[in-house]
Amino acid sequence: MDGNGRWAAARGLPRLEGHRRGAERIFDIVDHCIDSGIGTLTIFAFSAENWKRPLDEVNGLFKLGEWILRANLTRLSRRQVRLKVIGDLSAMPDFVRLPLEEAIRSSASHQAFTLVVALNYGARQEVIQAVQQIAQEVAAGTLAPNAVDWAALESRLQTAGTPDPDLIIRTSGECRLSNFLLLQSAYAEIVFAPVHWPEFTKEQFQLALDEFAKRERRYGQTPEQLQAKPTA
Ligand code: FPP
């Protein structure tokens, strides 16, 4: 959800106003996902590196997160949205951690759609944690070294049980992944949208989906192999 700050600066507004407008965008995009038959959306709300920002902005983001969650709980529940968090929630202040944990608990049985919020999340940190867990299990003799395969690693990532992303959208024209779902994105299509996140409307989202629909996903195969009909 990149470009909140630049969107605000271009209008002479404080950065937090850009974040506020950006936070409001999330729920229209969730609606559009559900209406388009998409099952899961992960939003990068706060990276493990975002702690480097000025304290005022960090606190403002957390207050905004708590407010926007509270203001949209009924809407999420009406649409049967299940909420999940990836990242280290334990470092979050109680006023944002507790309502989030409650929303995760109370939405656990919702089936229509999963909204994953990446909060204090970093892909490298996630991989380190999973590898440490594997090392401990190998040392304890509960996991054989040659049983460490992709399935073993994947099941110890914070995204275990959530499908890999098919499409990653980064707004504001920045063309990098910035420590987001680095392993899970191995075969993801990436769309770099030229607008700042507060301007990312349903129409903009549909443009990204249209772009995705044009991509040919080959997973290492040749176009001819992909076109060959499976033999009966
Ligand atoms: C990137 O814009 C956006 C963010 C770092 C935060 C976005 C998060 C929300 C809108 C929701 C907050 C919710 C919680 C729970 C924390 P930027 O500031 O990097 O924009 P810029 O690149 O234009 O400066």
Side-chain angles (χ1 to χ4, degrees), residues 1-7 15 18-20 22-24 26 43-47 50 53 57-58 61-62 64-66 68 92 96 100 117 119 172 174 196-197:
M1 301 189 288
D2 207 5
N4 293 345
R6 275 165 288 165
W7 180 89
R15 290 179 60 81
H19 291 312
R20 193 184 66 74
E24 285 173 350
I26 296 168
I43 54 165
F44 205 175
F46 192 82
S47 80
N50 282 153
R53 293 189 175 211
E57 183 169 340
V58 171
L61 272 170
F62 292 162
L64 177 65
E66 186 270 333
I68 204 79
M92 290 283 140
V96 59
L100 264 170
V117 184
L119 207 54
S172 90
E174 303 288 357
H196 295 317
W197 175 252

Side-chain angles (χ1 to χ4, degrees), residues 27 63-75 99:
F27 302 94
K63 282 187 193 141
L64 177 65
E66 186 270 333
W67 171 78
I68 204 79
L69 175 69
R70 203 156 26 85
N72 286 279
L73 271 180
T74 312
R75 183 173 176 179

